[in-house]
Amino acid sequence: QKEVEQNSGPLSVPEGAIASLNCTYSDRGSQSFFWYRQYSGKSPELIMFIYSNGDKEDGRFTAQLNKASQYVSLLIRDSQPSDSATYLCAVGSTLTFGKGTMLLVSP
Amino acid sequence: GAGVSQSPSNKVTEKGKDVELRCDPISGHTALYWYRQSLGQGLEFLIYFQGNSAPDKSGLPSDRFSAERTGGSVSTLTIQRTQQEDSAVYLCASSLGGEDEQFFGPGTRLTVL
């Protein structure tokens, strides 16, 4: 049984701070890792994907992957109130999702 | 370009009825996926189509669930003899295949009374 674990939160950060979201996965053979953002009542929106160990940056977002530790994280710099949403970690080609971490950014 | 589209956006049905949900993937995407999202179970994989290959049906929860993909494009998810526990948001996604990123449609909210 493939599993993806995330802290459900909520994670509360002030505007302008760095938000750090974490995820662990059970299937050591996983090759692809994704972060989706989901606003209430909306479908998941892809914000980052990563395939190789290390860091990948895109604007205010950085994804980090450590396959040895089976760990993937998402950093959001200069957090904005509009970043308040649930962040879903997903792994593999037929995505296995974590339950999501709710992020709250206060003005 | 156009994203993934799904219809209907909402469906209310009575227990025991059959329902059909439709997905139109992004043009050029060869892979199509169905997921469902419910409060208790989170987001779970149902079925995957890749080109002309046999679909991966490993996520279908029972034999009441089936899906087709015609002409390598539009897909229909059919739920027969609906039960209350089938109430969920059914999401379709498409990609270029393999480990490529998947893009989701807006979903169909199914309510079984």
PDB file of all heavy atoms in Angstrom, chain A residues 6-15 17-21 37-39 47 60-61 74-88 100-106:
ATOM      1  N   GLN A   6       1.257  13.775   5.257  1.00  0.00           N
ATOM      2  CA  GLN A   6       1.432  15.218   5.440  1.00  0.00           C
ATOM      3  C   GLN A   6       0.817  15.616   6.771  1.00  0.00           C
ATOM      4  O   GLN A   6      -0.196  15.020   7.195  1.00  0.00           O
ATOM      5  CB  GLN A   6       0.703  16.008   4.347  1.00  0.00           C
ATOM      6  CG  GLN A   6       1.218  15.846   2.951  1.00  0.00           C
ATOM      7  CD  GLN A   6       0.434  16.724   1.990  1.00  0.00           C
ATOM      8  OE1 GLN A   6      -0.399  16.232   1.224  1.00  0.00           O
ATOM      9  NE2 GLN A   6       0.706  18.024   2.026  1.00  0.00           N
ATOM     10  N   ASN A   7       1.376  16.630   7.394  1.00  0.00           N
ATOM     11  CA  ASN A   7       0.778  17.226   8.577  1.00  0.00           C
ATOM     12  C   ASN A   7      -0.470  17.988   8.128  1.00  0.00           C
ATOM     13  O   ASN A   7      -0.403  18.785   7.192  1.00  0.00           O
ATOM     14  CB  ASN A   7       1.784  18.174   9.239  1.00  0.00           C
ATOM     15  CG  ASN A   7       1.300  18.650  10.582  1.00  0.00           C
ATOM     16  OD1 ASN A   7       0.126  18.948  10.761  1.00  0.00           O
ATOM     17  ND2 ASN A   7       2.210  18.738  11.529  1.00  0.00           N
ATOM     18  N   SER A   8      -1.592  17.738   8.788  1.00  0.00           N
ATOM     19  CA  SER A   8      -2.845  18.345   8.326  1.00  0.00           C
ATOM     20  C   SER A   8      -2.918  19.844   8.607  1.00  0.00           C
ATOM     21  O   SER A   8      -3.688  20.569   7.961  1.00  0.00           O
ATOM     22  CB  SER A   8      -4.044  17.653   8.957  1.00  0.00           C
ATOM     23  OG  SER A   8      -4.006  17.799  10.361  1.00  0.00           O
ATOM     24  N   GLY A   9      -2.110  20.306   9.582  1.00  0.00           N
ATOM     25  CA  GLY A   9      -2.137  21.728   9.930  1.00  0.00           C
ATOM     26  C   GLY A   9      -3.351  22.071  10.773  1.00  0.00           C
ATOM     27  O   GLY A   9      -3.905  21.201  11.431  1.00  0.00           O
ATOM     28  N   PRO A  10      -3.768  23.354  10.776  1.00  0.00           N
ATOM     29  CA  PRO A  10      -3.275  24.385   9.873  1.00  0.00           C
ATOM     30  C   PRO A  10      -1.895  24.908  10.261  1.00  0.00           C
ATOM     31  O   PRO A  10      -1.529  24.929  11.419  1.00  0.00           O
ATOM     32  CB  PRO A  10      -4.320  25.485   9.997  1.00  0.00           C
ATOM     33  CG  PRO A  10      -4.899  25.311  11.352  1.00  0.00           C
ATOM     34  CD  PRO A  10      -4.861  23.843  11.640  1.00  0.00           C
ATOM     35  N   LEU A  11      -1.146  25.286   9.216  1.00  0.00           N
ATOM     36  CA  LEU A  11       0.115  25.969   9.396  1.00  0.00           C
ATOM     37  C   LEU A  11      -0.167  27.457   9.238  1.00  0.00           C
ATOM     38  O   LEU A  11      -0.624  27.890   8.181  1.00  0.00           O
ATOM     39  CB  LEU A  11       1.112  25.490   8.341  1.00  0.00           C
ATOM     40  CG  LEU A  11       2.446  26.242   8.275  1.00  0.00           C
ATOM     41  CD1 LEU A  11       3.241  26.024   9.556  1.00  0.00           C
ATOM     42  CD2 LEU A  11       3.259  25.804   7.062  1.00  0.00           C
ATOM     43  N   SER A  12       0.092  28.219  10.283  1.00  0.00           N
ATOM     44  CA  SER A  12      -0.191  29.652  10.256  1.00  0.00           C
ATOM     45  C   SER A  12       1.111  30.432  10.186  1.00  0.00           C
ATOM     46  O   SER A  12       2.002  30.216  11.019  1.00  0.00           O
ATOM     47  CB  SER A  12      -0.977  30.058  11.505  1.00  0.00           C
ATOM     48  OG  SER A  12      -2.251  29.441  11.513  1.00  0.00           O
ATOM     49  N   VAL A  13       1.216  31.320   9.204  1.00  0.00           N
ATOM     50  CA  VAL A  13       2.399  32.162   9.068  1.00  0.00           C
ATOM     51  C   VAL A  13       1.952  33.589   8.785  1.00  0.00           C
ATOM     52  O   VAL A  13       0.888  33.809   8.203  1.00  0.00           O
ATOM     53  CB  VAL A  13       3.343  31.683   7.939  1.00  0.00           C
ATOM     54  CG1 VAL A  13       3.844  30.267   8.221  1.00  0.00           C
ATOM     55  CG2 VAL A  13       2.691  31.782   6.588  1.00  0.00           C
ATOM     56  N   PRO A  14       2.750  34.572   9.207  1.00  0.00           N
ATOM     57  CA  PRO A  14       2.396  35.964   8.882  1.00  0.00           C
ATOM     58  C   PRO A  14       2.796  36.291   7.449  1.00  0.00           C
ATOM     59  O   PRO A  14       3.699  35.673   6.866  1.00  0.00           O
ATOM     60  CB  PRO A  14       3.218  36.763   9.887  1.00  0.00           C
ATOM     61  CG  PRO A  14       4.397  35.907  10.189  1.00  0.00           C
ATOM     62  CD  PRO A  14       3.927  34.492  10.087  1.00  0.00           C
ATOM     63  N   GLU A  15       2.129  37.267   6.892  1.00  0.00           N
ATOM     64  CA  GLU A  15       2.439  37.734   5.540  1.00  0.00           C
ATOM     65  C   GLU A  15       3.916  38.102   5.449  1.00  0.00           C
ATOM     66  O   GLU A  15       4.471  38.749   6.333  1.00  0.00           O
ATOM     67  CB  GLU A  15       1.578  38.945   5.198  1.00  0.00           C
ATOM     68  CG  GLU A  15       1.744  39.460   3.785  1.00  0.00           C
ATOM     69  CD  GLU A  15       0.760  40.576   3.462  1.00  0.00           C
ATOM     70  OE1 GLU A  15      -0.088  40.906   4.319  1.00  0.00           O
ATOM     71  OE2 GLU A  15       0.836  41.120   2.339  1.00  0.00           O
ATOM     72  N   ALA A  17       6.417  35.980   5.476  1.00  0.00           N
ATOM     73  CA  ALA A  17       7.272  34.931   6.048  1.00  0.00           C
ATOM     74  C   ALA A  17       7.437  33.778   5.061  1.00  0.00           C
ATOM     75  O   ALA A  17       6.794  33.733   4.005  1.00  0.00           O
ATOM     76  CB  ALA A  17       6.652  34.417   7.355  1.00  0.00           C
ATOM     77  N   ILE A  18       8.326  32.849   5.419  1.00  0.00           N
ATOM     78  CA  ILE A  18       8.508  31.625   4.639  1.00  0.00           C
ATOM     79  C   ILE A  18       7.623  30.522   5.227  1.00  0.00           C
ATOM     80  O   ILE A  18       7.653  30.271   6.426  1.00  0.00           O
ATOM     81  CB  ILE A  18       9.972  31.167   4.662  1.00  0.00           C
ATOM     82  CG1 ILE A  18      10.870  32.200   3.976  1.00  0.00           C
ATOM     83  CG2 ILE A  18      10.117  29.808   3.962  1.00  0.00           C
ATOM     84  CD1 ILE A  18      12.359  31.880   4.070  1.00  0.00           C
ATOM     85  N   ALA A  19       6.844  29.898   4.360  1.00  0.00           N
ATOM     86  CA  ALA A  19       6.038  28.741   4.769  1.00  0.00           C
ATOM     87  C   ALA A  19       6.748  27.477   4.319  1.00  0.00           C
ATOM     88  O   ALA A  19       7.197  27.387   3.172  1.00  0.00           O
ATOM     89  CB  ALA A  19       4.643  28.821   4.168  1.00  0.00           C
ATOM     90  N   SER A  20       6.851  26.505   5.209  1.00  0.00           N
ATOM     91  CA  SER A  20       7.529  25.247   4.911  1.00  0.00           C
ATOM     92  C   SER A  20       6.545  24.094   5.072  1.00  0.00           C
ATOM     93  O   SER A  20       6.003  23.875   6.149  1.00  0.00           O
ATOM     94  CB  SER A  20       8.724  25.065   5.845  1.00  0.00           C
ATOM     95  OG  SER A  20       9.356  23.818   5.601  1.00  0.00           O
ATOM     96  N   LEU A  21       6.316  23.380   3.991  1.00  0.00           N
ATOM     97  CA  LEU A  21       5.360  22.269   3.970  1.00  0.00           C
ATOM     98  C   LEU A  21       6.123  20.981   3.687  1.00  0.00           C
ATOM     99  O   LEU A  21       6.984  20.938   2.818  1.00  0.00           O
ATOM    100  CB  LEU A  21       4.308  22.505   2.881  1.00  0.00           C
ATOM    101  CG  LEU A  21       3.542  23.830   3.022  1.00  0.00           C
ATOM    102  CD1 LEU A  21       2.919  24.234   1.709  1.00  0.00           C
ATOM    103  CD2 LEU A  21       2.485  23.693   4.097  1.00  0.00           C
ATOM    104  N   ARG A  37      -1.953  22.952  -5.193  1.00  0.00           N
ATOM    105  CA  ARG A  37      -2.650  23.878  -4.301  1.00  0.00           C
ATOM    106  C   ARG A  37      -4.137  23.735  -4.580  1.00  0.00           C
ATOM    107  O   ARG A  37      -4.568  23.688  -5.734  1.00  0.00           O
ATOM    108  CB  ARG A  37      -2.197  25.308  -4.572  1.00  0.00           C
ATOM    109  CG  ARG A  37      -2.888  26.376  -3.756  1.00  0.00           C
ATOM    110  CD  ARG A  37      -2.255  27.737  -4.012  1.00  0.00           C
ATOM    111  NE  ARG A  37      -2.399  28.162  -5.397  1.00  0.00           N
ATOM    112  CZ  ARG A  37      -1.696  29.153  -5.949  1.00  0.00           C
ATOM    113  NH1 ARG A  37      -0.784  29.794  -5.243  1.00  0.00           N
ATOM    114  NH2 ARG A  37      -1.902  29.492  -7.208  1.00  0.00           N
ATOM    115  N   GLN A  38      -4.932  23.671  -3.507  1.00  0.00           N
ATOM    116  CA  GLN A  38      -6.363  23.531  -3.682  1.00  0.00           C
ATOM    117  C   GLN A  38      -7.093  24.536  -2.804  1.00  0.00           C
ATOM    118  O   GLN A  38      -7.002  24.485  -1.574  1.00  0.00           O
ATOM    119  CB  GLN A  38      -6.830  22.106  -3.359  1.00  0.00           C
ATOM    120  CG  GLN A  38      -8.283  21.861  -3.699  1.00  0.00           C
ATOM    121  CD  GLN A  38      -8.704  20.409  -3.568  1.00  0.00           C
ATOM    122  OE1 GLN A  38      -8.157  19.668  -2.757  1.00  0.00           O
ATOM    123  NE2 GLN A  38      -9.677  19.993  -4.374  1.00  0.00           N
ATOM    124  N   TYR A  39      -7.800  25.451  -3.453  1.00  0.00           N
ATOM    125  CA  TYR A  39      -8.665  26.371  -2.735  1.00  0.00           C
ATOM    126  C   TYR A  39      -9.992  25.666  -2.467  1.00  0.00           C
ATOM    127  O   TYR A  39     -10.398  24.771  -3.216  1.00  0.00           O
ATOM    128  CB  TYR A  39      -8.898  27.639  -3.555  1.00  0.00           C
ATOM    129  CG  TYR A  39      -7.661  28.497  -3.742  1.00  0.00           C
ATOM    130  CD1 TYR A  39      -7.052  28.619  -4.986  1.00  0.00           C
ATOM    131  CD2 TYR A  39      -7.098  29.181  -2.677  1.00  0.00           C
ATOM    132  CE1 TYR A  39      -5.924  29.406  -5.170  1.00  0.00           C
ATOM    133  CE2 TYR A  39      -5.962  29.960  -2.841  1.00  0.00           C
ATOM    134  CZ  TYR A  39      -5.384  30.064  -4.091  1.00  0.00           C
ATOM    135  OH  TYR A  39      -4.255  30.834  -4.262  1.00  0.00           O
ATOM    136  N   ILE A  47       1.427  23.361  -8.830  1.00  0.00           N
ATOM    137  CA  ILE A  47       2.320  24.485  -8.639  1.00  0.00           C
ATOM    138  C   ILE A  47       3.788  24.104  -8.786  1.00  0.00           C
ATOM    139  O   ILE A  47       4.608  24.939  -9.164  1.00  0.00           O
ATOM    140  CB  ILE A  47       2.082  25.206  -7.289  1.00  0.00           C
ATOM    141  CG1 ILE A  47       2.119  24.244  -6.108  1.00  0.00           C
ATOM    142  CG2 ILE A  47       0.767  25.951  -7.303  1.00  0.00           C
ATOM    143  CD1 ILE A  47       2.066  24.954  -4.774  1.00  0.00           C
ATOM    144  N   ARG A  60       8.458  32.230  -6.259  1.00  0.00           N
ATOM    145  CA  ARG A  60       8.498  32.199  -4.789  1.00  0.00           C
ATOM    146  C   ARG A  60       8.506  30.784  -4.227  1.00  0.00           C
ATOM    147  O   ARG A  60       8.580  30.597  -3.018  1.00  0.00           O
ATOM    148  CB  ARG A  60       7.290  32.961  -4.226  1.00  0.00           C
ATOM    149  CG  ARG A  60       7.256  34.438  -4.564  1.00  0.00           C
ATOM    150  CD  ARG A  60       6.121  35.160  -3.834  1.00  0.00           C
ATOM    151  NE  ARG A  60       4.799  34.699  -4.249  1.00  0.00           N
ATOM    152  CZ  ARG A  60       3.950  34.042  -3.448  1.00  0.00           C
ATOM    153  NH1 ARG A  60       4.282  33.754  -2.203  1.00  0.00           N
ATOM    154  NH2 ARG A  60       2.756  33.678  -3.899  1.00  0.00           N
ATOM    155  N   PHE A  61       8.396  29.787  -5.094  1.00  0.00           N
ATOM    156  CA  PHE A  61       8.273  28.396  -4.656  1.00  0.00           C
ATOM    157  C   PHE A  61       9.581  27.634  -4.860  1.00  0.00           C
ATOM    158  O   PHE A  61      10.236  27.782  -5.894  1.00  0.00           O
ATOM    159  CB  PHE A  61       7.159  27.690  -5.436  1.00  0.00           C
ATOM    160  CG  PHE A  61       5.792  28.301  -5.269  1.00  0.00           C
ATOM    161  CD1 PHE A  61       5.280  29.167  -6.225  1.00  0.00           C
ATOM    162  CD2 PHE A  61       5.035  28.020  -4.154  1.00  0.00           C
ATOM    163  CE1 PHE A  61       4.027  29.733  -6.066  1.00  0.00           C
ATOM    164  CE2 PHE A  61       3.772  28.572  -3.994  1.00  0.00           C
ATOM    165  CZ  PHE A  61       3.264  29.432  -4.953  1.00  0.00           C
ATOM    166  N   LEU A  74       8.022  21.708   0.318  1.00  0.00           N
ATOM    167  CA  LEU A  74       7.715  22.892  -0.479  1.00  0.00           C
ATOM    168  C   LEU A  74       7.926  24.113   0.399  1.00  0.00           C
ATOM    169  O   LEU A  74       7.371  24.182   1.502  1.00  0.00           O
ATOM    170  CB  LEU A  74       6.272  22.858  -0.979  1.00  0.00           C
ATOM    171  CG  LEU A  74       5.838  24.080  -1.793  1.00  0.00           C
ATOM    172  CD1 LEU A  74       6.516  24.080  -3.168  1.00  0.00           C
ATOM    173  CD2 LEU A  74       4.313  24.098  -1.969  1.00  0.00           C
ATOM    174  N   LEU A  75       8.756  25.031  -0.082  1.00  0.00           N
ATOM    175  CA  LEU A  75       8.956  26.302   0.601  1.00  0.00           C
ATOM    176  C   LEU A  75       8.262  27.394  -0.202  1.00  0.00           C
ATOM    177  O   LEU A  75       8.409  27.452  -1.425  1.00  0.00           O
ATOM    178  CB  LEU A  75      10.447  26.626   0.722  1.00  0.00           C
ATOM    179  CG  LEU A  75      11.307  25.656   1.507  1.00  0.00           C
ATOM    180  CD1 LEU A  75      12.766  26.107   1.487  1.00  0.00           C
ATOM    181  CD2 LEU A  75      10.812  25.516   2.933  1.00  0.00           C
ATOM    182  N   ILE A  76       7.532  28.239   0.496  1.00  0.00           N
ATOM    183  CA  ILE A  76       6.903  29.396  -0.147  1.00  0.00           C
ATOM    184  C   ILE A  76       7.492  30.636   0.510  1.00  0.00           C
ATOM    185  O   ILE A  76       7.292  30.879   1.713  1.00  0.00           O
ATOM    186  CB  ILE A  76       5.365  29.387   0.030  1.00  0.00           C
ATOM    187  CG1 ILE A  76       4.770  28.060  -0.448  1.00  0.00           C
ATOM    188  CG2 ILE A  76       4.745  30.557  -0.730  1.00  0.00           C
ATOM    189  CD1 ILE A  76       3.273  27.930  -0.176  1.00  0.00           C
ATOM    190  N   ARG A  77       8.248  31.399  -0.287  1.00  0.00           N
ATOM    191  CA  ARG A  77       8.859  32.632   0.234  1.00  0.00           C
ATOM    192  C   ARG A  77       7.887  33.790   0.094  1.00  0.00           C
ATOM    193  O   ARG A  77       7.010  33.792  -0.779  1.00  0.00           O
ATOM    194  CB  ARG A  77      10.145  32.950  -0.529  1.00  0.00           C
ATOM    195  CG  ARG A  77      11.302  32.020  -0.215  1.00  0.00           C
ATOM    196  CD  ARG A  77      12.543  32.410  -1.019  1.00  0.00           C
ATOM    197  NE  ARG A  77      12.285  32.303  -2.462  1.00  0.00           N
ATOM    198  CZ  ARG A  77      12.282  31.168  -3.123  1.00  0.00           C
ATOM    199  NH1 ARG A  77      12.510  30.032  -2.496  1.00  0.00           N
ATOM    200  NH2 ARG A  77      12.043  31.158  -4.428  1.00  0.00           N
ATOM    201  N   ASP A  78       8.062  34.819   0.964  1.00  0.00           N
ATOM    202  CA  ASP A  78       7.220  36.014   0.901  1.00  0.00           C
ATOM    203  C   ASP A  78       5.738  35.622   0.817  1.00  0.00           C
ATOM    204  O   ASP A  78       5.020  36.019  -0.108  1.00  0.00           O
ATOM    205  CB  ASP A  78       7.618  36.878  -0.299  1.00  0.00           C
ATOM    206  CG  ASP A  78       6.935  38.225  -0.325  1.00  0.00           C
ATOM    207  OD1 ASP A  78       6.517  38.707   0.748  1.00  0.00           O
ATOM    208  OD2 ASP A  78       6.783  38.795  -1.436  1.00  0.00           O
ATOM    209  N   SER A  79       5.302  34.817   1.772  1.00  0.00           N
ATOM    210  CA  SER A  79       3.921  34.307   1.746  1.00  0.00           C
ATOM    211  C   SER A  79       2.916  35.453   1.701  1.00  0.00           C
ATOM    212  O   SER A  79       3.083  36.484   2.369  1.00  0.00           O
ATOM    213  CB  SER A  79       3.661  33.448   2.987  1.00  0.00           C
ATOM    214  OG  SER A  79       4.475  32.305   2.990  1.00  0.00           O
ATOM    215  N   GLN A  80       1.860  35.236   0.926  1.00  0.00           N
ATOM    216  CA  GLN A  80       0.798  36.214   0.767  1.00  0.00           C
ATOM    217  C   GLN A  80      -0.532  35.625   1.252  1.00  0.00           C
ATOM    218  O   GLN A  80      -0.726  34.403   1.190  1.00  0.00           O
ATOM    219  CB  GLN A  80       0.665  36.608  -0.709  1.00  0.00           C
ATOM    220  CG  GLN A  80       1.935  37.202  -1.307  1.00  0.00           C
ATOM    221  CD  GLN A  80       2.296  38.512  -0.630  1.00  0.00           C
ATOM    222  OE1 GLN A  80       1.467  39.428  -0.516  1.00  0.00           O
ATOM    223  NE2 GLN A  80       3.539  38.614  -0.177  1.00  0.00           N
ATOM    224  N   PRO A  81      -1.459  36.461   1.692  1.00  0.00           N
ATOM    225  CA  PRO A  81      -2.782  35.936   2.089  1.00  0.00           C
ATOM    226  C   PRO A  81      -3.429  35.096   0.997  1.00  0.00           C
ATOM    227  O   PRO A  81      -4.141  34.134   1.295  1.00  0.00           O
ATOM    228  CB  PRO A  81      -3.577  37.203   2.372  1.00  0.00           C
ATOM    229  CG  PRO A  81      -2.545  38.187   2.836  1.00  0.00           C
ATOM    230  CD  PRO A  81      -1.329  37.893   1.998  1.00  0.00           C
ATOM    231  N   SER A  82      -3.149  35.410  -0.258  1.00  0.00           N
ATOM    232  CA  SER A  82      -3.718  34.635  -1.372  1.00  0.00           C
ATOM    233  C   SER A  82      -3.117  33.227  -1.464  1.00  0.00           C
ATOM    234  O   SER A  82      -3.638  32.380  -2.199  1.00  0.00           O
ATOM    235  CB  SER A  82      -3.493  35.369  -2.694  1.00  0.00           C
ATOM    236  OG  SER A  82      -2.118  35.592  -2.919  1.00  0.00           O
ATOM    237  N   ASP A  83      -2.029  32.974  -0.716  1.00  0.00           N
ATOM    238  CA  ASP A  83      -1.456  31.616  -0.673  1.00  0.00           C
ATOM    239  C   ASP A  83      -2.231  30.712   0.279  1.00  0.00           C
ATOM    240  O   ASP A  83      -1.979  29.502   0.329  1.00  0.00           O
ATOM    241  CB  ASP A  83       0.007  31.667  -0.224  1.00  0.00           C
ATOM    242  CG  ASP A  83       0.921  32.364  -1.217  1.00  0.00           C
ATOM    243  OD1 ASP A  83       0.650  32.275  -2.440  1.00  0.00           O
ATOM    244  OD2 ASP A  83       1.901  32.999  -0.780  1.00  0.00           O
ATOM    245  N   SER A  84      -3.137  31.270   1.049  1.00  0.00           N
ATOM    246  CA  SER A  84      -3.928  30.479   1.993  1.00  0.00           C
ATOM    247  C   SER A  84      -4.769  29.463   1.224  1.00  0.00           C
ATOM    248  O   SER A  84      -5.621  29.835   0.404  1.00  0.00           O
ATOM    249  CB  SER A  84      -4.833  31.385   2.837  1.00  0.00           C
ATOM    250  OG  SER A  84      -4.063  32.280   3.611  1.00  0.00           O
ATOM    251  N   ALA A  85      -4.497  28.203   1.467  1.00  0.00           N
ATOM    252  CA  ALA A  85      -5.131  27.105   0.723  1.00  0.00           C
ATOM    253  C   ALA A  85      -4.673  25.798   1.350  1.00  0.00           C
ATOM    254  O   ALA A  85      -3.883  25.790   2.295  1.00  0.00           O
ATOM    255  CB  ALA A  85      -4.719  27.152  -0.749  1.00  0.00           C
ATOM    256  N   THR A  86      -5.153  24.697   0.813  1.00  0.00           N
ATOM    257  CA  THR A  86      -4.644  23.385   1.195  1.00  0.00           C
ATOM    258  C   THR A  86      -3.624  22.939   0.155  1.00  0.00           C
ATOM    259  O   THR A  86      -3.885  23.018  -1.054  1.00  0.00           O
ATOM    260  CB  THR A  86      -5.790  22.354   1.292  1.00  0.00           C
ATOM    261  OG1 THR A  86      -6.665  22.746   2.347  1.00  0.00           O
ATOM    262  CG2 THR A  86      -5.246  20.964   1.589  1.00  0.00           C
ATOM    263  N   TYR A  87      -2.483  22.496   0.620  1.00  0.00           N
ATOM    264  CA  TYR A  87      -1.402  22.064  -0.263  1.00  0.00           C
ATOM    265  C   TYR A  87      -1.306  20.545  -0.216  1.00  0.00           C
ATOM    266  O   TYR A  87      -1.134  19.941   0.849  1.00  0.00           O
ATOM    267  CB  TYR A  87      -0.085  22.729   0.149  1.00  0.00           C
ATOM    268  CG  TYR A  87      -0.102  24.198  -0.210  1.00  0.00           C
ATOM    269  CD1 TYR A  87      -0.786  25.103   0.596  1.00  0.00           C
ATOM    270  CD2 TYR A  87       0.485  24.660  -1.381  1.00  0.00           C
ATOM    271  CE1 TYR A  87      -0.864  26.445   0.246  1.00  0.00           C
ATOM    272  CE2 TYR A  87       0.411  25.998  -1.740  1.00  0.00           C
ATOM    273  CZ  TYR A  87      -0.267  26.877  -0.920  1.00  0.00           C
ATOM    274  OH  TYR A  87      -0.349  28.208  -1.272  1.00  0.00           O
ATOM    275  N   LEU A  88      -1.425  19.945  -1.384  1.00  0.00           N
ATOM    276  CA  LEU A  88      -1.446  18.496  -1.526  1.00  0.00           C
ATOM    277  C   LEU A  88      -0.137  18.012  -2.117  1.00  0.00           C
ATOM    278  O   LEU A  88       0.286  18.483  -3.176  1.00  0.00           O
ATOM    279  CB  LEU A  88      -2.588  18.067  -2.444  1.00  0.00           C
ATOM    280  CG  LEU A  88      -4.001  18.430  -1.998  1.00  0.00           C
ATOM    281  CD1 LEU A  88      -4.980  18.276  -3.150  1.00  0.00           C
ATOM    282  CD2 LEU A  88      -4.428  17.560  -0.839  1.00  0.00           C
ATOM    283  N   GLY A 100      -3.181  16.455   2.655  1.00  0.00           N
ATOM    284  CA  GLY A 100      -3.057  17.901   2.491  1.00  0.00           C
ATOM    285  C   GLY A 100      -2.759  18.635   3.783  1.00  0.00           C
ATOM    286  O   GLY A 100      -3.148  18.196   4.867  1.00  0.00           O
ATOM    287  N   THR A 101      -2.043  19.763   3.632  1.00  0.00           N
ATOM    288  CA  THR A 101      -1.760  20.674   4.744  1.00  0.00           C
ATOM    289  C   THR A 101      -2.437  21.995   4.461  1.00  0.00           C
ATOM    290  O   THR A 101      -2.225  22.585   3.394  1.00  0.00           O
ATOM    291  CB  THR A 101      -0.243  20.903   4.903  1.00  0.00           C
ATOM    292  OG1 THR A 101       0.404  19.678   5.211  1.00  0.00           O
ATOM    293  CG2 THR A 101       0.025  21.916   6.015  1.00  0.00           C
ATOM    294  N   MET A 102      -3.243  22.451   5.410  1.00  0.00           N
ATOM    295  CA  MET A 102      -3.897  23.754   5.256  1.00  0.00           C
ATOM    296  C   MET A 102      -2.921  24.843   5.691  1.00  0.00           C
ATOM    297  O   MET A 102      -2.355  24.789   6.781  1.00  0.00           O
ATOM    298  CB  MET A 102      -5.155  23.830   6.099  1.00  0.00           C
ATOM    299  CG  MET A 102      -5.911  25.144   5.944  1.00  0.00           C
ATOM    300  SD  MET A 102      -7.385  25.220   6.956  1.00  0.00           S
ATOM    301  CE  MET A 102      -8.357  23.936   6.228  1.00  0.00           C
ATOM    302  N   LEU A 103      -2.703  25.808   4.808  1.00  0.00           N
ATOM    303  CA  LEU A 103      -1.839  26.951   5.091  1.00  0.00           C
ATOM    304  C   LEU A 103      -2.695  28.188   5.267  1.00  0.00           C
ATOM    305  O   LEU A 103      -3.556  28.480   4.429  1.00  0.00           O
ATOM    306  CB  LEU A 103      -0.845  27.160   3.948  1.00  0.00           C
ATOM    307  CG  LEU A 103       0.019  28.424   4.017  1.00  0.00           C
ATOM    308  CD1 LEU A 103       0.970  28.356   5.215  1.00  0.00           C
ATOM    309  CD2 LEU A 103       0.811  28.618   2.729  1.00  0.00           C
ATOM    310  N   LEU A 104      -2.448  28.921   6.349  1.00  0.00           N
ATOM    311  CA  LEU A 104      -3.147  30.184   6.587  1.00  0.00           C
ATOM    312  C   LEU A 104      -2.099  31.284   6.693  1.00  0.00           C
ATOM    313  O   LEU A 104      -1.206  31.201   7.546  1.00  0.00           O
ATOM    314  CB  LEU A 104      -3.970  30.100   7.871  1.00  0.00           C
ATOM    315  CG  LEU A 104      -5.082  29.060   7.904  1.00  0.00           C
ATOM    316  CD1 LEU A 104      -5.713  29.004   9.289  1.00  0.00           C
ATOM    317  CD2 LEU A 104      -6.123  29.354   6.847  1.00  0.00           C
ATOM    318  N   VAL A 105      -2.195  32.287   5.820  1.00  0.00           N
ATOM    319  CA  VAL A 105      -1.275  33.415   5.833  1.00  0.00           C
ATOM    320  C   VAL A 105      -2.053  34.635   6.304  1.00  0.00           C
ATOM    321  O   VAL A 105      -3.012  35.059   5.654  1.00  0.00           O
ATOM    322  CB  VAL A 105      -0.674  33.668   4.440  1.00  0.00           C
ATOM    323  CG1 VAL A 105       0.314  34.831   4.503  1.00  0.00           C
ATOM    324  CG2 VAL A 105       0.005  32.406   3.913  1.00  0.00           C
ATOM    325  N   SER A 106      -1.633  35.182   7.434  1.00  0.00           N
ATOM    326  CA  SER A 106      -2.361  36.309   8.015  1.00  0.00           C
ATOM    327  C   SER A 106      -1.723  37.636   7.598  1.00  0.00           C
ATOM    328  O   SER A 106      -0.499  37.766   7.586  1.00  0.00           O
ATOM    329  CB  SER A 106      -2.371  36.193   9.530  1.00  0.00           C
ATOM    330  OG  SER A 106      -1.064  36.055  10.026  1.00  0.00           O
TER     331      SER A 106
END
